[in-house]
Amino acid sequence: VQLVESCGALVQPGVSLRLSCAASGIIFSMYSMGWYCQAPGKERELVARITSTGYTEYADSVKGRFTISRDNAKKMVSLQMNSLKPEDTAVYYCNTETNVGTTWGQGTQVTVSS
């Protein structure tokens, strides 16, 4: 199982950014996919998750600003991040849990700063 995230970016507050994650080695449509973030000095935490049936859940801090979606045909999960804030600065990781265990992407840095 392999997860590869798109590149992050340095952006100003208030702008939007879209992260994508390409999966391989799994029957993608069967599994939930998630995005986590880890800020300096903090533990990794859930940002958003989407189940195989399309049910979504979000951290309170991103509700109304971030949207997770999936494209089963392309084996990709995306995170649309709008109205970015400095406190969104973190390394973002794609995640899935399959019958072979938990897999993480390599992580991508998102920095929100003026």
Side-chain angles (χ1 to χ4, degrees), residues 40-60:
K42 295 186 177 181
E43 294 187 355
R44 195 172 298 185
E45 59 184 17
L46 178 69
V47 176
R49 180 184 290 124
I50 185 167
T51 68
S52 60
T53 58
Y55 175 79
T56 58
E57 61 177 314
Y58 297 92
D60 287 343

Side-chain angles (χ1 to χ4, degrees):
V1 181
Q2 188 175 18
L3 301 174
V4 179
E5 295 111 342
S6 59
C7 291
L10 168 61
V11 298
Q12 292 187 337
V15 303
S16 298
L17 183 67
R18 187 178 182 88
L19 300 180
S20 295
C21 170
S24 59
I26 60 171
I27 303 174
F28 182 80
S29 60
M30 290 181 60
Y31 299 105
S32 295
M33 301 296 299
W35 285 97
Y36 287 72
C37 71
Q38 187 167 18
K42 295 186 177 181
E43 294 187 355
R44 195 172 298 185
E45 59 184 17
L46 178 69
V47 176
R49 180 184 290 124
I50 185 167
T51 68
S52 60
T53 58
Y55 175 79
T56 58
E57 61 177 314
Y58 297 92
D60 287 343
S61 60
V62 307
K63 285 181 180 177
R65 297 190 299 123
F66 290 12
T67 302
I68 189 171
S69 60
R70 64 189 298 156
D71 185 331
N72 289 339
K74 295 182 178 179
K75 295 187 177 182
M76 294 188 69
V77 59
S78 298
L79 185 68
Q80 178 68 40
M81 304 186 291
N82 297 331
S83 302
L84 281 162
K85 303 176 181 180
E87 49 264 44
D88 295 321
T89 295
V91 178
Y92 285 74
Y93 297 89
C94 184
N95 161 277
T96 189
E97 295 184 8
T98 69
N99 58 314
V100 298
T102 300
T103 301
W104 296 94
Q106 80 279 10
T108 188
Q109 177 70 46
V110 174
T111 302
V112 185
S113 175
S114 55

